[in-house]
Amino acid sequence: MKRICFSIMFLLPLWLNGQAKHTISGYVTDEKTGERLIGATVFNQETGKGAATNYYGFFSLTLSEGTRIIDFSFIGYKTIRETIELRCDTFLNIVLIMGVELGEIEINARRLSGNNTEISRLSRPGISMQMVESSPVILGERDILKTLQFLPGIKQGSENTASFNVRGGSADQNLILLDGVPVYNVNHLLGFFSVFNSDAIKNVDFIKGGIPARYSGRLSSVLDISMKEGNMKESHGVFSISPVSGRFTWEAPVKKDTAAYIVSYRRTFLDLPLRAFQKLNGQNGNYGYYFYDFNAKANWIINPQNRLFLSFYAGKDNQFSNSRENKVSKSAFRYNWGNATAVLRWNKVFSPRLFSNFSAYYSRFQHLQQGKAQDDKSNVLFKTTSDLEDTSVKVDFDFFAAPWHTVRLGSKLSNLRFNPNIIQVKNRDSDIVFNEEFRNSANETNIYVENAFDFDRLKMNIGGHLSGYFVNGVSYLDFQPRVSVSVKLFPRFSLNASFTAMSQHMHLLTNSSLGMPTDLWVASTEKIAPQKAEQLSFGGSYQAGTGLFFGLEGYCKWMDNVVRFDEGVAFLDPKESSWENNVLVGNGKAYGIEFLAQKELGSLTGLFSYTLSWSEQKFDELNNGEWFPFKYDRRHDVSILAEYKLNKSYNRIRSVSIGFTLQSGNNISMPDTETAGLPVPGGELVDYHYPWETVRYTCDHPNNIKMPTFHHLDIGYNIVKEKMKNRSITWSFSVYNVYNRMNPWYYYKSGESVRQVSLFPVVPSVGFKYVF
């Protein structure tokens, strides 16, 4: 008997290990549109093993041979259960049907098998397009970046602007991707609106802690936005209009279930009534301003193993002024800035456990200021241009080594071209160009490896990113380790910790938080080294069974080689000195605690967030070399975003939403030293002198004034009327700043007094959307 028991004990592990294993792989798609679903859950209840679809809707799950019951689920879709006789590798195309709200089973499955679940919900807060669409807005414009600002640790630049700062970082330290391509300027109209048209957006992924190794190039956060792929089933359109702009989106299959495309266009109306008024009044010329965005994307499923994507985006702000005195004398002024991106991607499935993506992309940000004057004797042109061009090729692999181990690795090669502040003056006799010596180019290489482990109660992502930056004979090599760990102490309670090291090889020269078109991207040089940061975070989260989530997380961040303009420097000197001589290089630190409560189920959904934070900087040349508060060092930040769905009546769906923000004020610099100046020679003969001729104001203590507490309440009301054949009409009503809080937008000094300027009182608006 002992021999028999010993034989069983010895042979059983060998038999278990010897069991044949096979891989279930495939795609999860939407039943109506054919869109691949990102982050859908694939879960085997029997073994407790699962997987999540990647950014292209692909999944891979290896299980032992036999009869296996697999659940496929996604938020807002019906769960599908498939029984599979697993005798060999199996490829599946799973179609999910929308219409059922997320239930308890799906929440548990998502918590067990979600994408990158080792990253906490505080570091990677979820934001859905439904949240964006239901939020109260100003002037009827839905905006992803403004919705983000309700989340903890994310602070807006100035009131009602799309610019945002994350955990003590500046706006240029956020990596913003559109279909995997960096977008270098995300603002329209001085930052009041972002460049992202919500009608063309499919998915938004935001990460501010525990950033995986596949991302690089910025210090503070990653905002990864995916465009819709195009309806594979039938033609579909959306037309919407607001007091500011109109939008039109059209998507359709080229060949059903094989190829599709989508195009979307948005344009403001600001210039049209102004042009009409000027023409009716018989003015000899016109002036105005407008912006537009154009998105296009096509995809082709060659076969289950190969798929091609082609995406394009172009957006521009244009300010113009034209005048004519007679047939000969005329002048024209143009000031425009914008982005253009294009990317070609190839998805290749080499095996059931090896998925790859090859990409080649181009991104450009340019601004142009041009003035022309012409008469019968002269023809003069003055033009300034600044642009950044990024051309890159990259490859990414997902290797599903085991249900508990996924390896991600890849590389990227980039060529960056910088042309800051190029000035041209041209007339009939000469053509002179200044600042040609500022043209610059750099090459960058990136290699990364991630290892994601899922041991049920313990989840880890351990990896590293190696970057090389080569400019003007100087090389910068940086290894950036990344570690994220999640430990489930109880079925609904987890602890999370992460360490992230980041490098940023580009600098944004700016005097403002407004996303001004004159902001210039420049390369690191032999004098100005890349920015670096290290961040450590630790927290805990609790997921209640009723769809309630509570999370608390603390963080510390240290930054080196942060750049700011020297005090008193307005911008680049046009002809004398390099930008390197006009900036200061120093250090920064930030730390704080974030709290998030979120309700995901029921008629009432929403979130409450609170952030307690500190952010400081230090430069040897400022404040006697002592630490001083960063401009966006806001001690307290409270945000509430909620939606209540009223009872559905017949074919109408109604909802009420509120948004509330309460923040400590920004820090601003006011001159604290006056120095008597010397009049220019001969100035004593002039009765009037400009203030700068006699007195010079300097600021020895930056950010020495704290603005008042900032707060406002917004409300919205949406009514959707459903019609036949998947058609619907949506009316959106909103009121921004309900109780008319006149928050200061900026201050200026007039004599001995400081005056406040406020821009946004109560602003009611209405929007209309027609889906057909």
Side-chain angles (χ1 to χ4, degrees), residues 23-28 36-38 40 42 51-60 91 304 347 349-356 398 400:
T23 300
I24 304 169
S25 62
Y27 294 94
V28 179
R36 301 269 168 93
L37 299 178
I38 301 172
V42 183
T53 57
N54 65 11
Y55 284 99
Y56 300 95
F58 180 81
F59 70 90
S60 177
F91 186 89
N347 288 175
V349 180
F350 285 99
S351 75
R353 293 197 291 172
L354 181 58
F355 178 91
S356 66
D398 290 357
F400 304 91

PDB file of all heavy atoms in Angstrom, residues 23-28 36-38 40 42 51-60 91 304 347 349-356 398 400:
ATOM      1  N   THR A  23      -4.146  26.759 -26.731  1.00  0.00           N
ATOM      2  CA  THR A  23      -4.400  28.197 -26.613  1.00  0.00           C
ATOM      3  C   THR A  23      -5.671  28.582 -27.337  1.00  0.00           C
ATOM      4  O   THR A  23      -5.872  28.242 -28.510  1.00  0.00           O
ATOM      5  CB  THR A  23      -3.217  28.997 -27.177  1.00  0.00           C
ATOM      6  OG1 THR A  23      -2.038  28.659 -26.454  1.00  0.00           O
ATOM      7  CG2 THR A  23      -3.470  30.490 -27.055  1.00  0.00           C
ATOM      8  N   ILE A  24      -6.529  29.304 -26.617  1.00  0.00           N
ATOM      9  CA  ILE A  24      -7.716  29.932 -27.209  1.00  0.00           C
ATOM     10  C   ILE A  24      -7.348  31.383 -27.493  1.00  0.00           C
ATOM     11  O   ILE A  24      -6.960  32.119 -26.581  1.00  0.00           O
ATOM     12  CB  ILE A  24      -8.922  29.873 -26.257  1.00  0.00           C
ATOM     13  CG1 ILE A  24      -9.220  28.433 -25.849  1.00  0.00           C
ATOM     14  CG2 ILE A  24     -10.143  30.509 -26.905  1.00  0.00           C
ATOM     15  CD1 ILE A  24     -10.230  28.326 -24.715  1.00  0.00           C
ATOM     16  N   SER A  25      -7.430  31.803 -28.723  1.00  0.00           N
ATOM     17  CA  SER A  25      -7.093  33.176 -29.088  1.00  0.00           C
ATOM     18  C   SER A  25      -8.132  33.710 -30.065  1.00  0.00           C
ATOM     19  O   SER A  25      -8.941  32.952 -30.600  1.00  0.00           O
ATOM     20  CB  SER A  25      -5.695  33.257 -29.706  1.00  0.00           C
ATOM     21  OG  SER A  25      -5.635  32.501 -30.908  1.00  0.00           O
ATOM     22  N   GLY A  26      -8.090  35.030 -30.277  1.00  0.00           N
ATOM     23  CA  GLY A  26      -9.036  35.624 -31.220  1.00  0.00           C
ATOM     24  C   GLY A  26      -9.308  37.073 -30.902  1.00  0.00           C
ATOM     25  O   GLY A  26      -8.512  37.752 -30.238  1.00  0.00           O
ATOM     26  N   TYR A  27     -10.459  37.542 -31.364  1.00  0.00           N
ATOM     27  CA  TYR A  27     -10.836  38.941 -31.209  1.00  0.00           C
ATOM     28  C   TYR A  27     -12.231  39.026 -30.607  1.00  0.00           C
ATOM     29  O   TYR A  27     -13.076  38.151 -30.818  1.00  0.00           O
ATOM     30  CB  TYR A  27     -10.831  39.669 -32.548  1.00  0.00           C
ATOM     31  CG  TYR A  27      -9.465  39.807 -33.168  1.00  0.00           C
ATOM     32  CD1 TYR A  27      -8.998  38.884 -34.095  1.00  0.00           C
ATOM     33  CD2 TYR A  27      -8.634  40.874 -32.818  1.00  0.00           C
ATOM     34  CE1 TYR A  27      -7.737  39.009 -34.669  1.00  0.00           C
ATOM     35  CE2 TYR A  27      -7.375  41.006 -33.390  1.00  0.00           C
ATOM     36  CZ  TYR A  27      -6.932  40.073 -34.304  1.00  0.00           C
ATOM     37  OH  TYR A  27      -5.685  40.209 -34.856  1.00  0.00           O
ATOM     38  N   VAL A  28     -12.481  40.110 -29.867  1.00  0.00           N
ATOM     39  CA  VAL A  28     -13.809  40.411 -29.342  1.00  0.00           C
ATOM     40  C   VAL A  28     -14.283  41.704 -29.996  1.00  0.00           C
ATOM     41  O   VAL A  28     -13.577  42.720 -29.962  1.00  0.00           O
ATOM     42  CB  VAL A  28     -13.786  40.574 -27.809  1.00  0.00           C
ATOM     43  CG1 VAL A  28     -15.182  40.909 -27.292  1.00  0.00           C
ATOM     44  CG2 VAL A  28     -13.262  39.302 -27.144  1.00  0.00           C
ATOM     45  N   ARG A  36     -13.430  46.479 -32.732  1.00  0.00           N
ATOM     46  CA  ARG A  36     -12.762  45.640 -31.749  1.00  0.00           C
ATOM     47  C   ARG A  36     -12.830  46.314 -30.379  1.00  0.00           C
ATOM     48  O   ARG A  36     -12.651  47.529 -30.274  1.00  0.00           O
ATOM     49  CB  ARG A  36     -11.308  45.413 -32.170  1.00  0.00           C
ATOM     50  CG  ARG A  36     -11.191  44.740 -33.569  1.00  0.00           C
ATOM     51  CD  ARG A  36     -11.144  43.246 -33.462  1.00  0.00           C
ATOM     52  NE  ARG A  36     -11.313  42.584 -34.754  1.00  0.00           N
ATOM     53  CZ  ARG A  36     -10.310  42.224 -35.545  1.00  0.00           C
ATOM     54  NH1 ARG A  36      -9.070  42.523 -35.211  1.00  0.00           N
ATOM     55  NH2 ARG A  36     -10.552  41.560 -36.666  1.00  0.00           N
ATOM     56  N   LEU A  37     -13.098  45.529 -29.337  1.00  0.00           N
ATOM     57  CA  LEU A  37     -13.297  46.050 -27.987  1.00  0.00           C
ATOM     58  C   LEU A  37     -12.001  45.940 -27.187  1.00  0.00           C
ATOM     59  O   LEU A  37     -11.412  44.859 -27.079  1.00  0.00           O
ATOM     60  CB  LEU A  37     -14.422  45.298 -27.284  1.00  0.00           C
ATOM     61  CG  LEU A  37     -15.805  45.393 -27.961  1.00  0.00           C
ATOM     62  CD1 LEU A  37     -16.834  44.576 -27.201  1.00  0.00           C
ATOM     63  CD2 LEU A  37     -16.247  46.843 -28.075  1.00  0.00           C
ATOM     64  N   ILE A  38     -11.578  47.051 -26.623  1.00  0.00           N
ATOM     65  CA  ILE A  38     -10.346  47.118 -25.846  1.00  0.00           C
ATOM     66  C   ILE A  38     -10.647  46.821 -24.376  1.00  0.00           C
ATOM     67  O   ILE A  38     -11.516  47.444 -23.780  1.00  0.00           O
ATOM     68  CB  ILE A  38      -9.709  48.518 -25.967  1.00  0.00           C
ATOM     69  CG1 ILE A  38      -9.396  48.832 -27.432  1.00  0.00           C
ATOM     70  CG2 ILE A  38      -8.445  48.623 -25.118  1.00  0.00           C
ATOM     71  CD1 ILE A  38      -8.938  50.257 -27.659  1.00  0.00           C
ATOM     72  N   ALA A  40     -11.818  43.941 -23.075  1.00  0.00           N
ATOM     73  CA  ALA A  40     -12.859  42.954 -22.810  1.00  0.00           C
ATOM     74  C   ALA A  40     -12.252  41.780 -22.032  1.00  0.00           C
ATOM     75  O   ALA A  40     -11.081  41.438 -22.190  1.00  0.00           O
ATOM     76  CB  ALA A  40     -13.483  42.468 -24.115  1.00  0.00           C
ATOM     77  N   VAL A  42     -11.906  37.841 -20.819  1.00  0.00           N
ATOM     78  CA  VAL A  42     -12.029  36.436 -21.204  1.00  0.00           C
ATOM     79  C   VAL A  42     -11.711  35.624 -19.947  1.00  0.00           C
ATOM     80  O   VAL A  42     -10.591  35.702 -19.428  1.00  0.00           O
ATOM     81  CB  VAL A  42     -11.059  36.082 -22.344  1.00  0.00           C
ATOM     82  CG1 VAL A  42     -11.248  34.635 -22.773  1.00  0.00           C
ATOM     83  CG2 VAL A  42     -11.241  37.028 -23.517  1.00  0.00           C
ATOM     84  N   ALA A  51      -7.978  36.490 -19.178  1.00  0.00           N
ATOM     85  CA  ALA A  51      -7.154  37.403 -19.965  1.00  0.00           C
ATOM     86  C   ALA A  51      -8.025  38.597 -20.336  1.00  0.00           C
ATOM     87  O   ALA A  51      -9.238  38.599 -20.119  1.00  0.00           O
ATOM     88  CB  ALA A  51      -6.604  36.715 -21.215  1.00  0.00           C
ATOM     89  N   ALA A  52      -7.380  39.610 -20.883  1.00  0.00           N
ATOM     90  CA  ALA A  52      -8.095  40.795 -21.357  1.00  0.00           C
ATOM     91  C   ALA A  52      -7.604  41.126 -22.756  1.00  0.00           C
ATOM     92  O   ALA A  52      -6.428  40.912 -23.090  1.00  0.00           O
ATOM     93  CB  ALA A  52      -7.874  41.982 -20.424  1.00  0.00           C
ATOM     94  N   THR A  53      -8.500  41.624 -23.593  1.00  0.00           N
ATOM     95  CA  THR A  53      -8.104  41.988 -24.947  1.00  0.00           C
ATOM     96  C   THR A  53      -7.172  43.200 -24.911  1.00  0.00           C
ATOM     97  O   THR A  53      -7.302  44.090 -24.076  1.00  0.00           O
ATOM     98  CB  THR A  53      -9.328  42.311 -25.817  1.00  0.00           C
ATOM     99  OG1 THR A  53     -10.090  43.359 -25.190  1.00  0.00           O
ATOM    100  CG2 THR A  53     -10.216  41.087 -25.970  1.00  0.00           C
ATOM    101  N   ASN A  54      -6.227  43.237 -25.840  1.00  0.00           N
ATOM    102  CA  ASN A  54      -5.274  44.338 -25.895  1.00  0.00           C
ATOM    103  C   ASN A  54      -5.868  45.512 -26.666  1.00  0.00           C
ATOM    104  O   ASN A  54      -7.070  45.567 -26.922  1.00  0.00           O
ATOM    105  CB  ASN A  54      -3.932  43.867 -26.476  1.00  0.00           C
ATOM    106  CG  ASN A  54      -4.049  43.424 -27.933  1.00  0.00           C
ATOM    107  OD1 ASN A  54      -5.068  43.641 -28.605  1.00  0.00           O
ATOM    108  ND2 ASN A  54      -3.006  42.794 -28.438  1.00  0.00           N
ATOM    109  N   TYR A  55      -5.007  46.464 -27.070  1.00  0.00           N
ATOM    110  CA  TYR A  55      -5.503  47.672 -27.718  1.00  0.00           C
ATOM    111  C   TYR A  55      -6.094  47.399 -29.099  1.00  0.00           C
ATOM    112  O   TYR A  55      -6.709  48.286 -29.690  1.00  0.00           O
ATOM    113  CB  TYR A  55      -4.389  48.712 -27.822  1.00  0.00           C
ATOM    114  CG  TYR A  55      -4.094  49.400 -26.513  1.00  0.00           C
ATOM    115  CD1 TYR A  55      -3.030  49.005 -25.714  1.00  0.00           C
ATOM    116  CD2 TYR A  55      -4.908  50.430 -26.051  1.00  0.00           C
ATOM    117  CE1 TYR A  55      -2.778  49.618 -24.495  1.00  0.00           C
ATOM    118  CE2 TYR A  55      -4.660  51.052 -24.845  1.00  0.00           C
ATOM    119  CZ  TYR A  55      -3.598  50.643 -24.074  1.00  0.00           C
ATOM    120  OH  TYR A  55      -3.355  51.251 -22.861  1.00  0.00           O
ATOM    121  N   TYR A  56      -5.927  46.218 -29.598  1.00  0.00           N
ATOM    122  CA  TYR A  56      -6.491  45.871 -30.906  1.00  0.00           C
ATOM    123  C   TYR A  56      -7.565  44.786 -30.786  1.00  0.00           C
ATOM    124  O   TYR A  56      -7.954  44.179 -31.785  1.00  0.00           O
ATOM    125  CB  TYR A  56      -5.379  45.419 -31.847  1.00  0.00           C
ATOM    126  CG  TYR A  56      -4.341  46.484 -32.070  1.00  0.00           C
ATOM    127  CD1 TYR A  56      -3.180  46.521 -31.306  1.00  0.00           C
ATOM    128  CD2 TYR A  56      -4.536  47.487 -33.016  1.00  0.00           C
ATOM    129  CE1 TYR A  56      -2.237  47.518 -31.484  1.00  0.00           C
ATOM    130  CE2 TYR A  56      -3.600  48.482 -33.198  1.00  0.00           C
ATOM    131  CZ  TYR A  56      -2.453  48.493 -32.429  1.00  0.00           C
ATOM    132  OH  TYR A  56      -1.519  49.492 -32.609  1.00  0.00           O
ATOM    133  N   GLY A  57      -8.029  44.548 -29.557  1.00  0.00           N
ATOM    134  CA  GLY A  57      -9.112  43.593 -29.346  1.00  0.00           C
ATOM    135  C   GLY A  57      -8.696  42.142 -29.356  1.00  0.00           C
ATOM    136  O   GLY A  57      -9.547  41.247 -29.365  1.00  0.00           O
ATOM    137  N   PHE A  58      -7.382  41.863 -29.324  1.00  0.00           N
ATOM    138  CA  PHE A  58      -6.883  40.496 -29.400  1.00  0.00           C
ATOM    139  C   PHE A  58      -6.693  39.920 -27.998  1.00  0.00           C
ATOM    140  O   PHE A  58      -6.266  40.613 -27.079  1.00  0.00           O
ATOM    141  CB  PHE A  58      -5.543  40.474 -30.148  1.00  0.00           C
ATOM    142  CG  PHE A  58      -4.932  39.104 -30.282  1.00  0.00           C
ATOM    143  CD1 PHE A  58      -5.354  38.237 -31.269  1.00  0.00           C
ATOM    144  CD2 PHE A  58      -3.934  38.689 -29.411  1.00  0.00           C
ATOM    145  CE1 PHE A  58      -4.793  36.971 -31.398  1.00  0.00           C
ATOM    146  CE2 PHE A  58      -3.359  37.427 -29.524  1.00  0.00           C
ATOM    147  CZ  PHE A  58      -3.789  36.566 -30.532  1.00  0.00           C
ATOM    148  N   PHE A  59      -6.995  38.620 -27.843  1.00  0.00           N
ATOM    149  CA  PHE A  59      -6.786  37.934 -26.574  1.00  0.00           C
ATOM    150  C   PHE A  59      -6.116  36.591 -26.832  1.00  0.00           C
ATOM    151  O   PHE A  59      -6.182  36.026 -27.934  1.00  0.00           O
ATOM    152  CB  PHE A  59      -8.100  37.739 -25.815  1.00  0.00           C
ATOM    153  CG  PHE A  59      -9.029  36.731 -26.459  1.00  0.00           C
ATOM    154  CD1 PHE A  59      -8.969  35.385 -26.127  1.00  0.00           C
ATOM    155  CD2 PHE A  59      -9.968  37.139 -27.395  1.00  0.00           C
ATOM    156  CE1 PHE A  59      -9.815  34.455 -26.727  1.00  0.00           C
ATOM    157  CE2 PHE A  59     -10.819  36.224 -27.997  1.00  0.00           C
ATOM    158  CZ  PHE A  59     -10.741  34.875 -27.665  1.00  0.00           C
ATOM    159  N   SER A  60      -5.488  36.060 -25.788  1.00  0.00           N
ATOM    160  CA  SER A  60      -4.862  34.741 -25.849  1.00  0.00           C
ATOM    161  C   SER A  60      -4.903  34.135 -24.462  1.00  0.00           C
ATOM    162  O   SER A  60      -4.475  34.766 -23.488  1.00  0.00           O
ATOM    163  CB  SER A  60      -3.416  34.848 -26.344  1.00  0.00           C
ATOM    164  OG  SER A  60      -2.777  33.585 -26.334  1.00  0.00           O
ATOM    165  N   PHE A  91      -9.075  29.345 -32.604  1.00  0.00           N
ATOM    166  CA  PHE A  91      -9.207  30.779 -32.896  1.00  0.00           C
ATOM    167  C   PHE A  91     -10.692  31.135 -32.936  1.00  0.00           C
ATOM    168  O   PHE A  91     -11.493  30.446 -33.579  1.00  0.00           O
ATOM    169  CB  PHE A  91      -8.559  31.121 -34.247  1.00  0.00           C
ATOM    170  CG  PHE A  91      -8.541  32.581 -34.544  1.00  0.00           C
ATOM    171  CD1 PHE A  91      -7.487  33.387 -34.132  1.00  0.00           C
ATOM    172  CD2 PHE A  91      -9.588  33.183 -35.235  1.00  0.00           C
ATOM    173  CE1 PHE A  91      -7.469  34.738 -34.396  1.00  0.00           C
ATOM    174  CE2 PHE A  91      -9.580  34.538 -35.513  1.00  0.00           C
ATOM    175  CZ  PHE A  91      -8.517  35.311 -35.086  1.00  0.00           C
ATOM    176  N   PRO A 304      -7.557  36.559 -40.804  1.00  0.00           N
ATOM    177  CA  PRO A 304      -7.539  36.611 -39.336  1.00  0.00           C
ATOM    178  C   PRO A 304      -6.181  36.923 -38.722  1.00  0.00           C
ATOM    179  O   PRO A 304      -6.116  37.355 -37.570  1.00  0.00           O
ATOM    180  CB  PRO A 304      -8.003  35.195 -38.947  1.00  0.00           C
ATOM    181  CG  PRO A 304      -8.838  34.743 -40.090  1.00  0.00           C
ATOM    182  CD  PRO A 304      -8.195  35.327 -41.305  1.00  0.00           C
ATOM    183  N   ASN A 347      -1.139  44.949 -37.980  1.00  0.00           N
ATOM    184  CA  ASN A 347      -1.274  43.921 -36.955  1.00  0.00           C
ATOM    185  C   ASN A 347      -0.970  42.563 -37.564  1.00  0.00           C
ATOM    186  O   ASN A 347      -1.561  42.182 -38.579  1.00  0.00           O
ATOM    187  CB  ASN A 347      -2.691  43.880 -36.396  1.00  0.00           C
ATOM    188  CG  ASN A 347      -3.014  45.069 -35.515  1.00  0.00           C
ATOM    189  OD1 ASN A 347      -4.138  45.220 -35.074  1.00  0.00           O
ATOM    190  ND2 ASN A 347      -2.052  45.939 -35.260  1.00  0.00           N
ATOM    191  N   VAL A 349      -0.541  38.462 -36.430  1.00  0.00           N
ATOM    192  CA  VAL A 349      -0.608  37.385 -35.448  1.00  0.00           C
ATOM    193  C   VAL A 349       0.291  36.266 -35.939  1.00  0.00           C
ATOM    194  O   VAL A 349      -0.046  35.557 -36.893  1.00  0.00           O
ATOM    195  CB  VAL A 349      -2.054  36.889 -35.247  1.00  0.00           C
ATOM    196  CG1 VAL A 349      -2.091  35.768 -34.208  1.00  0.00           C
ATOM    197  CG2 VAL A 349      -2.962  38.030 -34.819  1.00  0.00           C
ATOM    198  N   PHE A 350       1.463  36.113 -35.306  1.00  0.00           N
ATOM    199  CA  PHE A 350       2.406  35.082 -35.728  1.00  0.00           C
ATOM    200  C   PHE A 350       1.991  33.700 -35.249  1.00  0.00           C
ATOM    201  O   PHE A 350       2.273  32.694 -35.898  1.00  0.00           O
ATOM    202  CB  PHE A 350       3.813  35.414 -35.206  1.00  0.00           C
ATOM    203  CG  PHE A 350       4.489  36.514 -35.966  1.00  0.00           C
ATOM    204  CD1 PHE A 350       4.496  37.808 -35.475  1.00  0.00           C
ATOM    205  CD2 PHE A 350       5.113  36.266 -37.179  1.00  0.00           C
ATOM    206  CE1 PHE A 350       5.122  38.829 -36.167  1.00  0.00           C
ATOM    207  CE2 PHE A 350       5.746  37.287 -37.879  1.00  0.00           C
ATOM    208  CZ  PHE A 350       5.749  38.565 -37.379  1.00  0.00           C
ATOM    209  N   SER A 351       1.369  33.652 -34.077  1.00  0.00           N
ATOM    210  CA  SER A 351       0.902  32.387 -33.514  1.00  0.00           C
ATOM    211  C   SER A 351      -0.195  32.709 -32.514  1.00  0.00           C
ATOM    212  O   SER A 351      -0.415  33.877 -32.182  1.00  0.00           O
ATOM    213  CB  SER A 351       2.061  31.646 -32.837  1.00  0.00           C
ATOM    214  OG  SER A 351       2.385  32.258 -31.603  1.00  0.00           O
ATOM    215  N   PRO A 352      -0.906  31.704 -32.012  1.00  0.00           N
ATOM    216  CA  PRO A 352      -1.957  31.994 -31.036  1.00  0.00           C
ATOM    217  C   PRO A 352      -1.463  32.737 -29.798  1.00  0.00           C
ATOM    218  O   PRO A 352      -2.252  33.355 -29.094  1.00  0.00           O
ATOM    219  CB  PRO A 352      -2.486  30.602 -30.673  1.00  0.00           C
ATOM    220  CG  PRO A 352      -2.197  29.756 -31.871  1.00  0.00           C
ATOM    221  CD  PRO A 352      -0.897  30.274 -32.403  1.00  0.00           C
ATOM    222  N   ARG A 353      -0.148  32.688 -29.532  1.00  0.00           N
ATOM    223  CA  ARG A 353       0.381  33.342 -28.335  1.00  0.00           C
ATOM    224  C   ARG A 353       1.311  34.510 -28.644  1.00  0.00           C
ATOM    225  O   ARG A 353       1.878  35.093 -27.722  1.00  0.00           O
ATOM    226  CB  ARG A 353       1.114  32.311 -27.465  1.00  0.00           C
ATOM    227  CG  ARG A 353       0.176  31.273 -26.878  1.00  0.00           C
ATOM    228  CD  ARG A 353       0.826  30.531 -25.729  1.00  0.00           C
ATOM    229  NE  ARG A 353       1.913  29.653 -26.182  1.00  0.00           N
ATOM    230  CZ  ARG A 353       2.748  29.015 -25.365  1.00  0.00           C
ATOM    231  NH1 ARG A 353       2.625  29.170 -24.055  1.00  0.00           N
ATOM    232  NH2 ARG A 353       3.689  28.236 -25.832  1.00  0.00           N
ATOM    233  N   LEU A 354       1.474  34.854 -29.907  1.00  0.00           N
ATOM    234  CA  LEU A 354       2.368  35.951 -30.265  1.00  0.00           C
ATOM    235  C   LEU A 354       1.644  36.930 -31.194  1.00  0.00           C
ATOM    236  O   LEU A 354       1.336  36.600 -32.339  1.00  0.00           O
ATOM    237  CB  LEU A 354       3.634  35.435 -30.942  1.00  0.00           C
ATOM    238  CG  LEU A 354       4.665  36.494 -31.345  1.00  0.00           C
ATOM    239  CD1 LEU A 354       5.114  37.305 -30.135  1.00  0.00           C
ATOM    240  CD2 LEU A 354       5.855  35.862 -32.050  1.00  0.00           C
ATOM    241  N   PHE A 355       1.390  38.131 -30.664  1.00  0.00           N
ATOM    242  CA  PHE A 355       0.728  39.205 -31.405  1.00  0.00           C
ATOM    243  C   PHE A 355       1.730  40.337 -31.614  1.00  0.00           C
ATOM    244  O   PHE A 355       2.536  40.648 -30.735  1.00  0.00           O
ATOM    245  CB  PHE A 355      -0.489  39.718 -30.618  1.00  0.00           C
ATOM    246  CG  PHE A 355      -1.221  40.850 -31.269  1.00  0.00           C
ATOM    247  CD1 PHE A 355      -2.270  40.614 -32.136  1.00  0.00           C
ATOM    248  CD2 PHE A 355      -0.855  42.168 -31.021  1.00  0.00           C
ATOM    249  CE1 PHE A 355      -2.951  41.660 -32.747  1.00  0.00           C
ATOM    250  CE2 PHE A 355      -1.517  43.219 -31.621  1.00  0.00           C
ATOM    251  CZ  PHE A 355      -2.565  42.960 -32.489  1.00  0.00           C
ATOM    252  N   SER A 356       1.678  40.974 -32.770  1.00  0.00           N
ATOM    253  CA  SER A 356       2.629  42.053 -33.053  1.00  0.00           C
ATOM    254  C   SER A 356       1.927  43.216 -33.733  1.00  0.00           C
ATOM    255  O   SER A 356       0.872  43.058 -34.358  1.00  0.00           O
ATOM    256  CB  SER A 356       3.774  41.554 -33.937  1.00  0.00           C
ATOM    257  OG  SER A 356       3.286  41.189 -35.222  1.00  0.00           O
ATOM    258  N   ASP A 398       3.403  41.265 -28.202  1.00  0.00           N
ATOM    259  CA  ASP A 398       2.751  40.723 -27.017  1.00  0.00           C
ATOM    260  C   ASP A 398       2.903  39.205 -27.079  1.00  0.00           C
ATOM    261  O   ASP A 398       2.356  38.559 -27.993  1.00  0.00           O
ATOM    262  CB  ASP A 398       1.262  41.083 -26.970  1.00  0.00           C
ATOM    263  CG  ASP A 398       1.024  42.559 -26.715  1.00  0.00           C
ATOM    264  OD1 ASP A 398       2.001  43.296 -26.517  1.00  0.00           O
ATOM    265  OD2 ASP A 398      -0.153  42.969 -26.731  1.00  0.00           O
ATOM    266  N   PHE A 400       2.135  35.827 -25.034  1.00  0.00           N
ATOM    267  CA  PHE A 400       1.358  35.280 -23.933  1.00  0.00           C
ATOM    268  C   PHE A 400       2.003  33.954 -23.530  1.00  0.00           C
ATOM    269  O   PHE A 400       1.578  32.871 -23.968  1.00  0.00           O
ATOM    270  CB  PHE A 400      -0.101  35.111 -24.352  1.00  0.00           C
ATOM    271  CG  PHE A 400      -0.721  36.388 -24.841  1.00  0.00           C
ATOM    272  CD1 PHE A 400      -0.682  36.741 -26.182  1.00  0.00           C
ATOM    273  CD2 PHE A 400      -1.329  37.263 -23.953  1.00  0.00           C
ATOM    274  CE1 PHE A 400      -1.236  37.924 -26.645  1.00  0.00           C
ATOM    275  CE2 PHE A 400      -1.896  38.450 -24.395  1.00  0.00           C
ATOM    276  CZ  PHE A 400      -1.836  38.782 -25.737  1.00  0.00           C
TER     277      PHE A 400
END
